[in-house]
Amino acid sequence: MPTQSPAFSAQSASSPLAHASIPRRDPGPRDVQIDILFCGVCHSDLHTARGEWPGVVFPVVPGHEIVGRVVRVGRDVADFKAGDLAAVGCMVDSCKACPNCAAGLEQYCDKEVTFTYNSPDRAFTTPPAATPPMTYGGYSKSIVVDRRFVLRVSPKLNLAAVAPLLCAGITTYSPLKHWGAGTGTKVGIVGLGGLGHMGVKFSHALGAETILFTTSPGKADDAKRLGADAVVLSRDEAQMKPHAGTFDLIINTVAVPHDLDQYTGLLKRDGTLCLVGAPSSPHPSPSIWNLLTKRRTIAGSMIGGIPETQEMLDFCAERGIVSDIELIPIQQINAAYDRMLRSDVRYRFVIDMASLS
Ligand SMILES: [Zn+2]
Ligand SMILES: [Zn+2]
């Protein structure tokens, strides 16, 4: 029998998030039941709760940056036990059999990724229902997740500040690793928000020369504190020009349509501009000339697979890396969304789930 968990949900695109009660399945043999301690607040939460993305099914319980404590495990789970710390990110299931799942890149599953919220929840009943209920995310007291999608967290780190690593962290870590950011490389990070501030921290920690591009002069000092070697105002051509043709990799976190040519022109031969922000309408078509004259690439990347997410969490534990956060009670979530829309957060809100009872 499913149990009920307190949660915060949006009943419609126009209703604010409010207290609710949601069902959680009984842990099956391979499941881990987690009491949620902290949940980060991602822009995806806001877009989904406000029905701004296609296919949103209400009610919505957002939240995919989850850190908590294990309370119960299924009989086939040998490597987690009650009392352990655990984390869950953007995915809670996938087909587990296709070549991408076999490669530990579940986010690119050829069949169907079950995202942590607002995805058909094929695991809710066995066998799966013809019309499965939707998954509910981390703005709740409790969650039940297949062991394969549960991550280990070091008790050495500030657990509230670990939460954003599960989306903002891995979304920037994965492309930095894939395109070889490290000593001797020059990496640009575009935008200093939730994703960008983690991009700066990781790029610096990996040893790359790290340049932050921003439109806000006020963020320069903070960017340097976070690990940027230099800050460039992207609207100032005189500051952009000396960097032409010098970057190995630029990670672009900006999720509003803008001119990509100003960044492709900064890449070296074979350099890559990797987009990790998804604007709701397309960027202007980029200049092909910029690409072919130096064999440059425009690429995209989405979160990271479970093995790489664990690698990132271990790297963070070893290097003492966490997110810069503002901890809020869940009752402030609607106000927090409004502040996020004004970019008025440094750099991620995290909900203290003790406030939800
Ligand atoms: Zn997210
Ligand atoms: Zn798959």
Side-chain angles (χ1 to χ4, degrees):
M1 283 294 288
T3 53
Q4 292 291 312
S5 168
F8 254 53
S9 80
Q11 294 297 319
S12 75
S14 58
S15 52
L17 289 157
H19 208 284
S21 179
I22 56 165
R24 292 298 191 192
R25 69 175 185 263
D26 254 353
R30 292 188 310 275
D31 283 339
V32 177
Q33 182 181 343
I34 299 163
D35 262 2
I36 300 174
L37 299 171
F38 300 103
C39 185
V41 182
C42 174
H43 272 268
S44 309
D45 300 358
L46 185 164
H47 293 305
T48 307
R50 295 189 172 177
E52 291 165 3
W53 282 349
V56 176
V57 178
F58 289 93
V60 167
V61 177
H64 59 202
E65 296 180 337
I66 297 166
V67 173
R69 205 171 277 286
V70 174
V71 287
R72 195 147 65 115
V73 300
R75 64 168 185 268
D76 294 345
V77 177
D79 53 353
F80 273 101
K81 60 180 192 310
D84 287 351
L85 292 172
V88 178
C90 303
M91 305 177 281
V92 289
D93 207 354
S94 69
C95 88
K96 307 191 209 51
C98 75
N100 291 325
C101 287
L105 295 167
E106 299 88 350
Q107 76 275 32
Y108 304 127
C109 176
D110 289 329
K111 298 230 168 84
E112 191 177 10
V113 180
T114 304
F115 291 104
T116 304
Y117 58 83
N118 206 58
S119 258
D121 189 357
R122 287 164 296 157
F124 193 83
T125 56
T126 317
T131 330
M134 302 302 273
T135 52
Y136 292 132
Y139 295 9
S140 58
K141 266 289 187 206
S142 164
I143 193 166
V144 177
V145 179
D146 184 318
R147 158 68 188 99
R148 177 170 172 150
F149 292 83
V150 177
L151 297 141
R152 290 205 167 277
V153 174
S154 166
K156 287 193 292 191
L157 296 173
N158 172 352
L159 295 179
V162 165
L165 300 176
L166 278 302
C167 175
I170 188 63
T171 298
T172 49
Y173 181 87
S174 183
L176 286 166
K177 291 288 287 193
H178 182 76
W179 278 282
T183 310
T185 64
K186 183 172 173 181
V187 171
I189 305 289
V190 184
L192 193 66
L195 296 180
H197 97 287
M198 287 312 307
V200 169
K201 287 189 187 204
F202 283 138
S203 175
H204 174 73
L206 291 167
E209 181 187 356
T210 303
I211 313 293
L212 176 81
F213 295 96
T214 178
T215 53
S216 321
K219 286 185 171 172
D221 288 346
D222 230 17
K224 287 185 180 158
R225 174 183 64 80
L226 295 167
D229 295 292
V231 176
V232 172
L233 289 177
S234 54
R235 287 186 180 136
D236 183 347
E237 214 160 301
Q239 290 192 34
M240 294 288 275
K241 210 165 177 195
H243 293 280
T246 64
F247 281 86
D248 298 281
L249 172 67
I250 298 177
I251 308 280
N252 188 340
T253 72
V254 175
V256 292
H258 62 281
D259 170 25
L260 301 179
D261 299 343
Q262 59 173 335
Y263 296 112
T264 53
L266 300 187
L267 298 170
K268 281 182 188 165
R269 169 178 53 80
D270 291 329
T272 299
L273 170 65
C274 177
L275 309 179
V276 295
S280 50
S281 54
H283 294 297
S285 181
S287 155
I288 305 305
W289 193 249
N290 261 11
L291 302 179
L292 58 83
T293 51
K294 289 260 190 316
R295 200 163 58 187
R296 293 157 170 147
T297 303
I298 296 177
S301 178
M302 183 174 80
I303 49 176
I306 295 300
E308 191 173 53
T309 305
Q310 187 63 64
E311 175 195 309
M312 174 213 56
L313 288 167
D314 296 345
F315 178 77
C316 288
E318 199 179 294
R319 306 290 290 270
I321 296 171
V322 288
S323 190
D324 283 28
I325 65 156
E326 185 174 331
L327 195 62
I328 58 166
I330 199 160
Q331 291 76 14
Q332 284 177 18
I333 187 64
N334 296 297
Y337 279 4
D338 291 337
R339 284 184 52 197
M340 278 162 66
L341 288 174
R342 301 194 298 266
S343 299
D344 175 23
V345 52
R346 295 210 171 169
Y347 282 93
R348 201 69 147 177
F349 287 114
V350 173
I351 302 164
D352 182 352
M353 218 48 76
S355 62
L356 176 66
S357 48

